Amino acid sequence: MYTRSHPLLFALLAATRRRAVTRVGGTVLVHGTEPYRQALIRVPLDRTAVGTTGGAVRELSNGGTLFDQEGTGHRATRRAVAEGLGAAGVERLRPVWRDVLDRRLAPLADGHDVDLVPLARELAGAAVRALLGATGDPEAVARAAAEAAAAAVRDHLPGRRLPGTARAAAAATARLEALLAPHRPGEEPESALRAMLAVAAVNTTVAALPRAAAWCADAGLWDEAADDLLRPALVDELLRVTAPSPLLPRVAAADADLDGCPVRKGDRLILVARHAARAHDQPPDARDPAPPAVAQLVFGAGGHACPGARLARAQLDDTLAALAPHRPAVVRARVDRGAALPGWRSLTVRATGDHRTPENR
């Protein structure tokens, strides 16, 4: 799936992953667990540089976001979203996505196929709408967030930038911000924050949920998914190996050293989350999971770690719990070649478990 979605980039990463840190021209590829952590918490980073997540967001909108702020501005913004993404906030949101799961997965009980990608899209859009108090249609919100991310990510992936990319990205972001109203007119930082939260939540959810379900189907993990005691560890393990955001593009703001490799100010850093979390060589094991400090790396590290980790875990936990009684198998899958994050364009499953009531058998 990785090489089909972004063939040049992931072929390069696969070829260099045996070394913890590798320089390729002005780019430093960081694969090792500890160098990855050090790059996020010890190396000064230019979070608004061209080719970084924060730089792409700042180019599309006129305000700061969680991804590019530092100091008091960053802390204030994180506090502004902490309530919605904390334990109480996630529990308030839970009925929203559980309703989507109940409705979308009901056909499995009658022997019908279900495509998990539109399910994940509606689930993510509905959760974002509820989180932000917006009024836009959940699937429209999800589509706009996907389009904005796909357009923006072309700025920092290998390859020629197509004409009109910036214009298309700005238009997609404007559509997303309109769907996420209401917000107070003239407050661009709030508008940018709402859009960036939607982009992050939607794209990681649509990338992670279908892939996690496919992994359970392929590896025969439905018994663990059905076990209330094992499922939390399985959730962490599946998020570790799917690594919804498999790499983080950054730019060094000062000279540094990573595992003996000199890093110069202005160097581009490609921090490979899936390799740092050992997704490539340690399959998920709910009974012997990776240490929490390793599993957490797919959400970053330090003061800029993803604030949505709790939300991601809760959504995947509920999705696995809803799917487990059906023991679904994958019957069709198609890679999404245009998405910002590696994932499926469609992933169709069919129930195989003996879950039906006697009258429906």
Side-chain angles (χ1 to χ4, degrees):
M1 184 192 66
Y2 287 105
T3 53
R4 288 183 183 180
S5 60
H6 301 293
L8 293 177
L9 175 61
F10 285 103
L12 173 63
L13 297 181
T16 59
R17 70 187 180 197
R18 293 185 181 279
R19 299 186 62 182
V21 183
T22 301
R23 174 177 290 280
V24 180
T27 299
V28 178
L29 307 177
V30 183
H31 301 277
T33 300
E34 193 53 32
Y36 174 94
R37 193 193 325 271
Q38 293 302 314
L40 288 173
I41 66 177
R42 300 293 183 195
V43 176
L45 300 174
D46 182 349
R47 298 184 181 275
T48 64
V50 174
T52 66
T53 306
V57 174
R58 186 170 285 276
E59 182 177 333
L60 296 178
S61 62
N62 293 321
T65 73
L66 288 173
F67 292 86
D68 64 11
Q69 290 176 336
E70 294 288 356
T72 56
H74 178 251
R75 289 191 293 272
T77 304
R78 288 185 72 93
R79 283 196 298 270
V81 301
E83 181 179 350
L85 295 175
V90 168
E91 287 306 310
R92 284 195 296 269
L93 292 174
R94 220 160 191 156
V96 173
W97 69 69
R98 283 180 170 172
D99 176 70
V100 175
L101 289 169
D102 290 344
R103 177 166 37 82
R104 287 275 191 171
L105 294 179
L108 288 175
D110 296 321
H112 298 297
D113 295 350
V114 170
D115 188 343
L116 296 184
V117 174
L119 178 153
R121 200 160 46 228
E122 183 185 354
L123 184 154
V128 164
R129 184 177 71 167
L131 173 66
L132 299 178
T135 57
D137 174 75
E139 293 192 70
V141 167
R143 284 194 298 271
E147 291 168 4
V153 81
R154 296 186 189 108
D155 284 346
H156 54 251
L157 285 179
R160 184 173 60 89
R161 183 173 180 177
L162 298 175
T165 296
R167 187 166 57 252
T173 304
R175 286 195 299 273
L176 177 60
E177 290 181 351
L179 287 165
L180 295 177
H183 62 84
R184 289 183 292 277
E187 293 195 4
E188 290 86 355
E190 182 182 349
S191 176
L193 172 61
R194 293 165 71 88
M196 195 58 224
L197 284 172
V199 166
V202 167
N203 286 279
T204 54
T205 301
V206 174
L209 294 191
R211 290 180 56 208
W215 205 305
C216 284
D218 292 346
L221 299 178
W222 291 123
D223 285 343
E224 287 89 340
D227 188 319
D228 291 342
L229 296 179
L230 283 177
R231 192 169 57 250
L234 179 63
V235 165
D236 281 345
E237 283 289 272
L238 288 170
L239 288 170
R240 177 181 66 82
V241 297
T242 57
S245 296
L247 57 87
L248 306 178
R250 298 290 186 264
V251 171
D255 292 350
D257 180 275
L258 287 174
D259 199 47
C261 177
V263 175
R264 297 185 292 269
K265 179 180 178 180
D267 277 348
R268 189 181 187 191
L269 306 177
I270 302 295
L271 311 180
V272 190
R274 69 179 309 270
H275 292 167
R278 312 306 301 174
H280 60 296
D281 62 3
Q282 293 182 11
D285 187 343
R287 291 180 170 83
D288 185 21
V294 173
Q296 174 65 25
L297 291 179
V298 296
F299 295 107
H304 285 268
C306 174
R310 187 189 301 271
L311 178 68
R313 293 186 178 104
Q315 289 177 335
L316 181 53
D317 190 289
D318 285 348
T319 300
L320 295 181
L323 284 169
H326 303 282
R327 296 328 195 246
V330 177
V331 294
R332 287 184 301 277
R334 186 156 58 108
V335 170
D336 192 342
R337 299 176 185 273
L341 301 175
W344 300 108
R345 186 176 183 83
S346 64
L347 186 91
T348 304
V349 299
R350 182 178 302 159
T352 65
D354 186 19
H355 63 281
R356 291 176 290 176
T357 58
E359 61 269 24
N360 289 332
R361 286 180 182 169

